[in-house]
Amino acid sequence: MDTKKEVLSILDEVLSLGGAAAQFDLDTPLLGALPDLDSMAVVGLINMLEERFGFIVEDDEIDGSTFACVGSLVEFVDGKLA
């Protein structure tokens, strides 16, 4: 499974980016850089990650750094899948 591709697909869907997320790389900033990524979108993103990848995210497992950039989010997902 290509975690980055799946994460980008989820970002695109949750934030209604119309395919723009496909152009993101691992260094693309997220939180604070994408206006649509507000607190409600983060909740939706977490829910979609849980659903798509089949894991549970506990409150103490995440903070703002998880959503700093595409790479940090992919790394978090890979860690949950390991």
Side-chain angles (χ1 to χ4, degrees):
M1 170 190 311
D2 184 346
T3 307
K4 178 186 170 199
K5 185 176 178 180
E6 287 295 317
V7 167
L8 291 178
S9 172
I10 292 168
L11 278 167
D12 203 76
E13 184 176 339
V14 170
L15 301 177
S16 301
L17 297 175
Q23 305 304 315
F24 293 176
D25 60 27
L26 292 174
D27 295 324
T28 301
L30 297 175
L31 204 56
L34 297 176
D36 295 333
L37 189 56
D38 59 12
S39 59
M40 291 305 295
V42 167
V43 171
L45 185 56
I46 292 168
N47 288 337
M48 185 73 79
L49 289 169
E50 289 177 327
E51 190 176 302
R52 184 85 52 98
F53 291 105
F55 56 64
I56 301 294
V57 177
E58 301 296 336
D59 292 340
D60 62 351
E61 291 180 301
I62 56 170
D63 57 29
S65 66
T66 305
F67 300 95
C69 64
V70 172
S72 60
L73 187 55
V74 169
E75 187 177 303
F76 172 77
V77 171
D78 281 338
K80 291 293 289 181
L81 295 173

